[in-house]
Amino acid sequence: MMENACLMHHDETAARLRRRLLQRLSPLMGVLLMAVAVLSGCSDTWNDPHAPEPEDKVTYYASYSNQPRHLDPVRAYSAEEGLFLEQIYEPPLQYHFLKRPYELITATANEMPTVTYLDENRQPLGSDAESPAYSVFTVKIQSGIRYQPHPALAKAGGHPLYFFEHASESAEYGSLNDFAETGSRELLADDYIYAIKRMGDPANKSPLIGFMADYIVGLTAFTQTIAETRKSENVPLWLDLRQYDMKGLEQIDDHTFAITINGKYPQFRYWLATRFFSPIPWEADRFYHNPGFKERNLTLDWHPIGTGPFMMAENDPNRKIVLVRNPNFREEFYPNEGVPGDQEKGLLTDAGQPLPMIDQAVFVNEKASIPQWKKFLQGYYDRSGDESSNINSATFDQAFNTGPDGMSLSAELINHGVRVDEEIRPSLYYTGFNMLDPVVGGYSEKQRKLRRAISIAWDDQEFIDIFYNGLGQQAQSPIPPGLFGAKEGREGINPLIFDWDEQRNRPVRKSIKHAKKLLAEAGYPGGRDAVTGKPLVLYLDTAGSDSGPGADWMRKQLDKLGIQLEFRPTDYTRFKEKMRQGNTQIFRWGWLADYPDPENFLFMLDSHQGAQKCKCDGVNTANYDNPEYDRLFDRMKTMDNSPERAAIIDKMVNIVRRDNPWIMGFHVKDYYLSNAWVHNTKRHGISLGTLKYVRVEPAQRAEKQLAWNRPILTPLLITLGIVIALVIPAVRAYRRRQHSTVVGGRPE
């Protein structure tokens, strides 16, 4: 009995020793196991940030840095939102992918819209009418186009399956994936009519509501009717807009509709190629107004529904957004003609091929540019940025070499087979003054001189050189180069801000001495109020942080005049609200053309587009209000390009230069990089809906990823050796101790 007890005691002690040894060795064994796992998988890439790619799917990988705020096509106006929406929604028209100058072609339309001019009595006029009372745009859409599968269109017994009256009925549905059934139906003319009515519904806060009210007949009255209806006590959760007529909209048949606009506005055809005029089925509007849905982000602003080549399969904007091929997409083919040079660049290799050419697109949220750039070089992103971004200052030096002969790709990128595409997008980046502000706003000569002095000191050429690697051009007017009305060279400079340098053959800003003189005449000599002696402090409102070199640069510009610049950062939502309420003082803004016409830039200074006037997200962010400018704009916007139109544009530009509501800023030349396995990467300066043309070779991508991401095993082998060297002595010591204990017969 004693012997057995001793052995039992020994066994317990040995077990304790083993546990103690294992506790001491467990960190080392963890390293050993990790090394073994890595080594066992070294035949494949082990740092791939993406989930395994389905073997039967061709996937395109991209990134985005700015999250989309709106996915409702009547609300979304930013490039970040267009990156996704223009792959999902289809207006009647689109742009030819390859042709330059930009050319409108049909999308869902069966043919280009016809335009009929009418007099005040709605009687037809000739096609050459110069001043008609009305213009009627008639659009005939293709038959057989169908919406993507969506629960809003699911039916049972001929009735919508998921229309609920009470919140308790919808409680089990937290996402679109919770709906067991989906449905589809044909695209109808009424869907375009319903979408335009949604634009006129003030509840949707469309940024175009003020602008389009000037054109679409009956839109203003419709908006007022809906606003009054919504104020009533018994308004339902969903307002069926089909029950309210708009005078300027007519359904001719199931596939034909007409829009009547006031006067003559040739540019209206361009708007028919924007996402604002994309169709919305009434069933989707009703579905997303189910009780309880809004609280779960089950809204059209979060989950789009369209007829386009892709549909949104996953929307987690903090992490990633996934688009997949729409199985119901209409028949469309890659173009078979382009412009000189397209054939040589391989841009016509896929002529006649069905679209889209990929099965899904995975967009990952990359908040910092360096990780995104590194993953591009590793082959994990197909292009250097998303459809709305280009090479930035953080990565430019790694991408390009600059020298006396110009700019060229770096050796690393050449060895990778990377291609570069460039695009001069019709765009303008400017610094705005809120003309409602008592200090920097107003129209007195003193207030103009204050803004002019600041504009001279604000050296945007230096900003371009520092932050855009010199890839930009100082703006002289609101109109970008290449559009009708823009003037180049000496003839085009703003003489109130610039002088012409004959030797360098370029504009240069007037001297700081001249700016200080203007500042003194404005009542702020040396940057101090001439009456009170207090320093002049100005505020720049931003959406985000005020830290970083950009903020330092901006402060230094006003330091030249003795003016103090402070920042008022807020989040994007609050910033937009401040812009809408006219509560800013100075702000930075940018505009990318909706269509290639000067009217699309000059309308940003039309007083009717000011947030205070239209009570919406107006594009006149400066709240500029000049009756003479408005009068000329109303004449210019209805004209075809002609010498008379050019003369009116010149007058408008000079008025803006005198009033100086903006520091005109600059236009940017964009460069985009694509890995060798990505094809059809030509950029379009207007449209973002080009993902359907992209072709990817997954096998080549996998081969390059493996070659560019081979693990460096030497450090792991050294670590493994150290682990083994530590483990073996420990095991030997344990065995000696165990042997000594057993022989002595006296366990500790």
Side-chain angles (χ1 to χ4, degrees), residues 229-268:
T229 302
R230 289 195 179 280
K231 290 179 182 178
S232 63
E233 295 182 2
N234 299 318
V235 61
L237 183 63
W238 174 61
L239 196 63
D240 187 353
L241 301 180
R242 295 175 300 169
Q243 307 304 315
Y244 301 86
D245 291 330
M246 187 185 299
K247 193 174 182 180
L249 300 178
E250 179 186 4
Q251 187 237 44
I252 297 173
D253 58 43
D254 283 350
H255 298 97
T256 310
F257 66 99
I259 306 173
T260 301
I261 65 171
N262 292 307
K264 186 177 182 180
Y265 182 40
Q267 291 77 24
F268 188 74

Side-chain angles (χ1 to χ4, degrees), residues 415-488:
N415 292 335
H416 272 54
V418 168
R419 292 190 305 272
V420 59
D421 294 292
E422 60 183 68
E423 179 76 31
I424 302 177
R425 292 189 289 176
S427 62
L428 177 66
Y429 295 88
Y430 63 91
T431 302
F433 300 104
N434 180 9
M435 298 297 281
L436 301 176
D437 184 80
V439 178
V440 301
Y443 299 88
S444 71
E445 192 57 29
K446 283 189 174 183
Q447 290 167 318
R448 291 191 184 109
K449 287 182 176 181
L450 171 61
R451 294 191 294 271
R452 197 176 303 158
I454 294 172
S455 297
I456 292 171
W458 198 276
D459 189 354
D460 273 307
Q461 184 59 57
E462 184 179 87
F463 186 87
I464 294 167
D465 293 340
I466 295 173
F467 299 102
Y468 283 83
N469 302 287
L471 301 178
Q473 178 180 330
Q474 292 184 102
Q476 302 294 328
S477 82
I479 307 173
L483 297 190
F484 184 82
K487 292 184 176 181
E488 301 291 332

Side-chain angles (χ1 to χ4, degrees), residues 700-722:
Q700 185 183 359
R701 176 172 59 197
E703 177 186 340
K704 294 298 184 182
Q705 286 175 349
L706 185 60
W708 297 342
N709 296 280
R710 294 190 184 279
I712 301 174
L713 300 179
T714 302
L716 291 175
L717 293 174
I718 293 173
T719 303
L720 181 59
I722 294 172

Side-chain angles (χ1 to χ4, degrees), residues 208-236:
L208 277 195
I209 189 171
F211 182 76
M212 284 300 163
D214 290 341
Y215 291 108
I216 299 178
V217 173
L219 180 57
T220 298
F222 178 86
T223 299
Q224 292 173 347
T225 298
I226 299 301
E228 291 170 2
T229 302
R230 289 195 179 280
K231 290 179 182 178
S232 63
E233 295 182 2
N234 299 318
V235 61

Side-chain angles (χ1 to χ4, degrees), residues 257-515:
F257 66 99
I259 306 173
T260 301
I261 65 171
N262 292 307
K264 186 177 182 180
Y265 182 40
Q267 291 77 24
F268 188 74
R269 67 187 186 276
Y270 290 121
W271 285 107
L272 295 177
T274 66
R275 53 185 172 272
F276 295 103
F277 286 86
S278 298
I280 297 294
W282 71 268
E283 297 96 329
D285 197 29
R286 168 61 181 85
F287 172 83
Y288 284 124
H289 280 86
N290 272 320
F293 273 24
K294 183 177 180 181
E295 292 74 16
R296 298 171 221 147
N297 275 335
L298 285 173
T299 65
L300 191 64
D301 213 22
W302 195 265
H303 299 285
I305 169 175
T307 64
F310 298 96
M311 57 187 194
M312 189 168 287
E314 183 177 347
N315 182 17
D316 183 359
N318 285 317
R319 193 172 64 91
K320 69 177 179 179
I321 294 174
V322 179
L323 305 181
V324 300
R325 179 194 292 265
N326 174 10
N328 298 335
F329 183 55
R330 61 190 173 84
E331 190 177 71
E332 187 178 19
F333 302 96
Y334 192 94
N336 56 19
E337 59 180 341
V339 297
D342 284 348
Q343 181 75 54
E344 292 76 7
K345 295 176 182 177
L347 289 167
L348 290 171
T349 301
D350 294 308
Q353 293 299 309
L355 302 175
M357 307 186 78
I358 59 173
D359 296 302
Q360 63 179 9
V362 176
F363 294 87
V364 179
N365 186 3
E366 291 283 3
K367 296 179 174 63
S369 60
I370 298 303
Q372 190 279 337
W373 175 250
K374 184 176 181 180
K375 291 172 188 175
F376 168 70
L377 294 180
Q378 292 171 325
Y380 295 127
Y381 289 132
D382 294 328
R383 292 201 263 189
S384 61
D386 60 44
E387 297 292 321
S388 61
S389 69
N390 63 311
I391 295 296
N392 58 39
S393 58
T395 56
F396 181 87
D397 291 339
Q398 299 177 59
F400 295 102
N401 298 319
T402 56
D405 297 329
M407 189 175 65
S408 61
L409 278 177
S410 67
E412 181 182 12
L413 296 190
I414 291 174
N415 292 335
H416 272 54
V418 168
R419 292 190 305 272
V420 59
D421 294 292
E422 60 183 68
E423 179 76 31
I424 302 177
R425 292 189 289 176
S427 62
L428 177 66
Y429 295 88
Y430 63 91
T431 302
F433 300 104
N434 180 9
M435 298 297 281
L436 301 176
D437 184 80
V439 178
V440 301
Y443 299 88
S444 71
E445 192 57 29
K446 283 189 174 183
Q447 290 167 318
R448 291 191 184 109
K449 287 182 176 181
L450 171 61
R451 294 191 294 271
R452 197 176 303 158
I454 294 172
S455 297
I456 292 171
W458 198 276
D459 189 354
D460 273 307
Q461 184 59 57
E462 184 179 87
F463 186 87
I464 294 167
D465 293 340
I466 295 173
F467 299 102
Y468 283 83
N469 302 287
L471 301 178
Q473 178 180 330
Q474 292 184 102
Q476 302 294 328
S477 82
I479 307 173
L483 297 190
F484 184 82
K487 292 184 176 181
E488 301 291 332
R490 183 170 188 167
E491 184 186 13
I493 70 167
N494 179 353
L496 298 176
I497 306 298
F498 292 88
D499 293 318
W500 186 258
D501 188 324
E502 294 286 357
Q503 290 186 330
R504 291 184 288 179
N505 196 36
R506 70 175 193 180
V508 293
R509 271 181 154 72
K510 291 182 180 292
S511 67
I512 293 299
K513 180 180 179 181
H514 180 72

